[in-house]
Amino acid sequence: MAIESNKKIRNGHIMVMIGCFDTKEVDFEYLYACLVQKGVEVISINTGVFGETDLFPVNYSAEKVALNGGTKLSEIRKNKDRGSAIDIMGKGAEKIVTDLVIKGKVSGIIGMGGGGGTFIALKAMTAVPFGIPKICLSTLATKDLSQKVGVKDIVLIPTIVDVTGLNKISTVLISQAAGALCGMMSTTIQRSQEVKGSIAISVFGNTTIAADACTRVLKSKGYDVLAFHSVGSGGAAMETLTVDGVFDAILDLTTTELADELCGGICSSGTDRLTAAGKIGIPQVVVPGCIDMVNFGPLKTVPEEYKDRQLFSWAPDVTLMRTNAEENKVLGKIIAEKLNSSKGPVTILLPLGGVSKIGGIGEIFYAPHIDTVLFDSIRENCKESVKIVEVNANVNTVLFAERAVQQLLELLA
C-alpha cells in the first residue's frame, strides 16, 4: 500500500499504534497508512506472539514486548497458554508505553483487536496520562469493559465486524478512528478565565455541605475545583489524575473509601487510596471524613458477620454500617502511615464534632468515644512532619469548611 505523508499537518506529533501484527497485519497496515497520511510519526508495538510483519515498520517486536513482560517469546509459544500469553504481553506493552511516556514520545495511542488484543491495548493505555488521546477499536466495545478501562479517558469504538481483514465497514471505522485521534490531539483547550491552580476535593452525601462551602470559597479565590464522589471509582479517579499531574493540591475531605477497603464494603478504591499526592509531593489537607461508616448495598446484602452491627438505611440500595473502636484504631494507623511517607506538606484536620453528618451530636452514628479512638490512633502513628489540627465542629459544617480551606491556602502559600 503506497503511503504518502502530509508532514506539515501535525509535525512533531508521535502516535503509538499497538496490536497483534501477526494475525491482523493487513488491518494495521491500513491504520498505519491512515496515520502517516495525516502527518504523524508512528511508533508501532507488536503484541502478537506468532510472528512479525513486513507490511509496515515495527519499532517494538513481539520478542521485545515479551521480554519487557518478563518472559522470552519462545517460552510463551512453548507453553501454549493463551491467558498467560495475554497477561505477559499486556505487562510488556504497558512497560514499553510507560517508558515512551516518560521520554515524551506519546502524543496519542491507538489499538485494535478482539478479546485478547483489546485486553493488551487497554492495559498499555492505562500507562498514558489524562489528556493524551487514547482510542481502542474493539469487538468488545459494546460490552462492560469498565474494569479494564478503569478511570482512564479511553475512547472505545465498536468494530461492528471482526478484525480479520479489510472490508467496506472496517475501512470506514479505521479511517475515522485515525482521524478522530489526530483531531483530538490537535484540539486546543480554551478556558473562560485564568485560574491560580486546580484543587481536587472528595465528597459524600454526609460531607456535602462542607464540600460545597469549600468549593465556593476556593473558586472565589481563583481556583479551579474538581469534586470526586467517594464511592470507590471517585477516589480511584482522583488518585490516578493526581499522579497524572492534573492537580496542584488535594482537599481530601472524605476518606470513607478506606473504611470500605478495610471491611469489604462496596465503595473501596483499593490499596492505593490516599497515596498519590504524597508520591508526587503536592500539598494536601486530609480529613477522616465518613470513616465512621462502611457502605453496603440493600440490607439483605450485608455480610453475615456484620448482621448484628449498627446499620442504617441511607437509601433503598445503600446500607451504612457504623465502624467500631477496633476498626477505627486500625484506620487511624492506616491514615497516618500513608501520610507519613508524603514528599509534600500534609495537614490532617480532626473534626471533634463528628466525622460525618450522621455522626454528629444527636445523630444515629454519634459515638464520640469511638471517634476518640480514631483521633488518638492518628496522633500516635503520625510523624512530626505531619501537622494535625483539631477543629471543634462537625465535618459537615460551614465552620469546618472554612478551617479546611484556611489550612489548604496556608500550604499553597
Side-chain angles (χ1 to χ4, degrees):
M1 181 180 295
I3 300 173
E4 295 181 1
S5 175
N6 185 357
K7 294 294 184 183
K8 65 181 180 180
I9 296 179
R10 298 177 179 89
N11 192 28
H13 289 112
I14 304 173
M15 292 294 180
V16 174
M17 183 180 76
I18 181 169
C20 300
F21 304 159
D22 52 354
T23 58
K24 305 184 188 320
E25 59 177 347
V26 174
D27 305 85
F28 278 99
E29 180 195 19
Y30 186 76
L31 175 58
Y32 182 90
C34 291
L35 292 170
V36 172
Q37 286 170 354
K38 295 182 182 300
V40 299
E41 179 183 348
V42 179
I43 294 179
S44 58
I45 303 174
N46 181 20
T47 59
V49 300
F50 297 117
E52 302 295 333
T53 181
D54 58 3
L55 296 181
F56 54 88
V58 177
N59 301 95
Y60 290 88
S61 66
E63 181 66 55
K64 288 183 179 179
V65 176
L67 290 173
N68 274 277
T71 305
K72 291 182 178 181
L73 188 60
S74 58
E75 288 297 314
I76 295 177
R77 291 172 177 170
K78 180 181 177 180
N79 292 335
K80 297 180 180 180
D81 185 334
R82 185 175 186 274
S84 175
I86 291 173
D87 183 56
I88 293 169
M89 299 305 279
K91 290 178 180 177
E94 181 185 25
K95 188 174 180 180
I96 290 171
V97 171
T98 298
D99 183 60
L100 290 172
V101 168
I102 293 172
K103 293 177 179 178
K105 293 185 176 182
V106 183
S107 305
I109 182 168
I110 188 167
M112 177 168 53
T118 296
F119 176 91
I120 296 171
L122 294 180
K123 179 74 172 174
M125 289 179 187
T126 60
V128 181
F130 168 79
I132 296 178
K134 313 164 188 67
I135 291 180
C136 182
L137 290 112
S138 172
T139 59
L140 304 179
T142 57
K143 301 291 185 180
D144 182 7
L145 296 178
S146 57
Q147 293 299 314
K148 295 181 177 66
V149 172
V151 297
K152 286 294 182 176
D153 52 331
I154 298 173
V155 176
L156 294 167
I157 298 179
T159 59
I160 309 299
V161 295
D162 199 4
V163 185
T164 57
L166 298 177
N167 53 64
K168 64 181 182 181
I169 291 180
S170 64
T171 51
V172 170
L173 293 175
I174 292 172
S175 299
Q176 290 178 343
L181 189 67
C182 291
M184 293 165 68
M185 177 193 66
S186 302
T187 299
T188 301
I189 308 300
Q190 297 183 358
R191 297 187 180 276
S192 58
Q193 60 183 19
E194 291 297 321
V195 295
K196 290 182 179 179
S198 294
I199 297 173
I201 183 171
S202 54
V203 62
F204 215 44
N206 272 278
T207 56
T208 300
I209 293 175
D212 288 347
C214 289
T215 299
R216 285 194 299 271
V217 176
L218 288 170
K219 284 189 173 182
S220 71
K221 294 185 178 297
Y223 288 95
D224 184 26
V225 182
L226 296 88
F228 293 87
H229 200 187
S230 296
V231 292
S233 58
M238 186 174 75
E239 297 289 324
T240 299
L241 292 171
T242 299
V243 173
D244 286 350
V246 174
F247 310 119
D248 299 287
I250 306 294
L251 178 46
D252 213 339
L253 193 66
T254 315
T255 49
T256 185
E257 290 151 319
L258 297 175
D260 281 64
E261 171 66 15
L262 177 66
C263 299
I266 62 174
C267 289
S268 169
S269 289
T271 56
D272 289 336
R273 183 70 172 89
L274 200 62
T275 61
K279 286 180 180 178
I280 66 172
I282 63 173
Q284 56 180 325
V285 170
V286 178
V287 181
C290 298
I291 285 291
D292 57 351
M293 61 185 67
V294 177
N295 298 265
F296 294 107
L299 183 60
K300 63 181 180 181
T301 68
V302 176
E304 195 64 34
E305 61 183 301
Y306 297 134
K307 292 291 187 181
D308 61 345
R309 296 282 293 273
Q310 183 181 4
L311 304 173
F312 174 67
S313 179
W314 177 256
D317 60 341
V318 179
T319 304
L320 305 179
M321 180 186 77
R322 203 343 171 156
T323 50
N324 60 25
E326 180 182 359
E327 291 156 352
N328 274 267
K329 185 174 182 179
V330 174
L331 286 166
K333 185 177 181 181
I334 290 173
I335 291 172
E337 290 178 344
K338 285 177 178 286
L339 298 179
N340 283 340
S341 59
S342 296
K343 296 180 181 179
V346 184
T347 297
I348 299 178
L349 261 63
L350 304 180
L352 303 185
V355 298
S356 72
K357 176 182 181 296
I358 61 173
I361 297 176
E363 298 284 350
I364 190 168
F365 276 5
Y366 180 60
H369 60 291
I370 298 180
D371 289 346
T372 298
V373 172
L374 170 68
F375 300 154
D376 287 345
S377 179
I378 291 174
R379 296 188 191 97
E380 291 167 5
N381 290 286
C382 274
K383 293 181 179 179
E384 291 185 3
S385 58
V386 179
K387 180 181 178 182
I388 299 177
V389 176
E390 297 180 355
V391 181
N392 192 23
N394 181 271
V395 68
N396 197 40
T397 60
V398 173
L399 173 60
F400 186 85
E402 291 172 347
R403 292 295 301 277
V405 171
Q406 175 190 350
Q407 292 297 321
L408 185 65
L409 292 176
E410 287 182 9
L411 294 184
L412 286 167

